[in-house]
Structures are given as C-alpha cells and as structure tokens.
Amino acid sequence: MTQVAELGPLDPQITEHNPLEQRVERFSPLHIESTLELIRNEFAQGNRELAQGLLQRLQFPLSLGSFTKSLDVGKQYANKLLSSRMLENDPDKAEEIANKLVEDYADHSFCINVQEASALGLTVELLLDEQLQITWEIHKLARVKELLLQEQRRQEMEERLRNLPAGILYDLQNPLGPVPHPNPDAGGL
C-alpha cells in the first residue's frame, strides 16, 4: 500500500426505497441493531410514544432480516478471498479478519490505512521509492486506457447514430406518435 492508500470496511451498503416517506435510504445493516437498541432503550425509559413512533418508521421485518443476513454474506466472501490467498495456511485468522472487516468498524467510511491494515493482521507493506513510482505509472496508464476506451465507445455510438434510418431518432424520442402542432392557417390546433 502507499502512504495514502486506504481500504474500507466490508459491511454491505444497502440502498432501499422507503415507501412510507417516498425517498431512497442508504445504510449499513450494522445500523439495524443500533436502531433496535435505541427503540428498546426508549421503551425501557418509559418513552413509549417515541419508541412507538420509531418502531412504525422501520422498514418491513423480513427486509430487515435479509439486510442483516447480508453481513454473513460479506463475511463469507471476505473469508473465502483471504483464505484462498493471503492467509491460505491460516483459516482461523482469515475468518477472524473477515469478521472484523465486516462488523468491527462503526462506519463504512472508516479509513483502513497501511498501519490499520497491519494491526488487523493483513499482510501489507508500504510501497516506497521505485515500487511506488512503478505503481503510480501503472495507475496513470490504466487511467489513460480507460479514457481512450470511453472515447472509442463515444465515437462508435456517434457512428451508429449517424447510420440510423431517417426519422428513427424522432420516433424513439416520441414513442406516443407525432405531437400535434398548431396550424396558424386552420385557426387553432
């Protein structure tokens, strides 16, 4: 890793439409347990109205259960990856690190830098000097390649559009048929 490289926690990020409020919500399944704990605490402290209000705003229980189960999926994938490569000779350590990567960080945006990755038990080293320069050059070349491919796709799309039969673009933009236009000679629409 470079000095500025970072990994992130592996808790899944859920994007879900909230039908009660007609908006999209983004959250980690890790937030579900803390939300339930908040509701339990409000009930325990006698704030029944607040607890009931929070409870009514929760998404459907089956959805919450499936979101929570996605944490297990993340742990399984991380464990499989770690135990097939970096920690292929230490499956217990692979499982331990996978669990930490999925569940031990309070927020998905937590920065796992080279020091934190090492403290987790991942095999990492800081890239310096020539290794760092080579890595940076590879990164720049990969970016140039991506820009060239984007330009190629854009040009190919323009060529395809130029070769479409006359009127087809108009038909695609107006799937309901021709739009009536006012006729000034007829005295109206």
Side-chain angles (χ1 to χ4, degrees):
M1 294 175 73
T2 68
Q3 191 58 46
V4 296
E6 62 181 70
L7 302 172
L10 297 180
D11 57 311
Q13 299 302 289
I14 306 293
T15 301
E16 186 72 15
H17 176 73
N18 180 331
L20 299 174
E21 297 178 8
Q22 293 299 314
R23 65 185 176 100
V24 173
E25 294 181 343
R26 290 173 181 80
F27 62 93
S28 166
L30 294 174
H31 299 150
I32 294 170
E33 183 54 41
S34 60
T35 300
L36 295 174
E37 184 64 28
L38 172 69
I39 293 170
R40 283 191 288 270
N41 288 343
E42 292 303 327
F43 269 119
Q45 293 173 12
N47 299 325
R48 294 188 70 72
E49 253 183 70
L50 177 58
Q52 287 289 106
L54 291 170
L55 199 53
Q56 289 173 356
R57 292 190 51 162
L58 285 180
Q59 298 268 345
F60 306 107
L62 287 176
S63 296
L64 293 178
S66 68
F67 297 154
T68 302
K69 193 69 178 162
S70 69
L71 293 169
D72 292 337
V73 173
K75 287 187 278 189
Q76 286 178 347
Y77 278 128
N79 186 9
K80 191 172 198 167
L81 183 63
L82 288 167
S83 62
S84 69
R85 297 207 170 105
M86 183 183 293
L87 298 169
E88 63 185 330
N89 297 322
D90 196 346
D92 292 337
K93 188 173 182 181
E95 183 177 3
E96 176 189 335
I97 292 172
N99 290 341
K100 287 179 181 179
L101 284 168
V102 172
E103 292 186 332
D104 281 7
Y105 293 96
D107 188 72
H108 187 70
S109 64
F110 190 95
C111 172
I112 301 174
N113 60 18
V114 69
Q115 292 84 8
E116 180 73 15
S118 181
L120 265 173
L122 295 172
T123 305
V124 294
E125 65 180 69
L126 189 60
L127 292 178
L128 298 170
D129 306 322
E130 187 178 358
Q131 288 178 322
L132 181 59
Q133 189 59 39
I134 291 169
T135 303
W136 179 241
E137 292 302 322
I138 290 170
H139 170 75
K140 290 191 302 188
L141 289 170
R143 182 68 182 136
V144 168
K145 177 184 175 186
E146 181 57 34
L147 292 172
L148 290 170
L149 289 172
Q150 285 177 3
E151 178 60 20
Q152 179 183 1
R153 288 189 296 267
R154 187 189 66 73
Q155 288 175 3
E156 288 170 355
M157 182 58 69
E158 283 180 1
E159 183 64 26
R160 287 184 188 134
L161 290 173
R162 274 193 295 275
N163 292 328
L164 285 175
I168 197 164
L169 282 179
Y170 179 82
D171 293 342
L172 289 172
Q173 292 172 337
N174 301 293
L176 301 178
V179 177
H181 296 285
N183 182 345
D185 297 333
L189 295 175

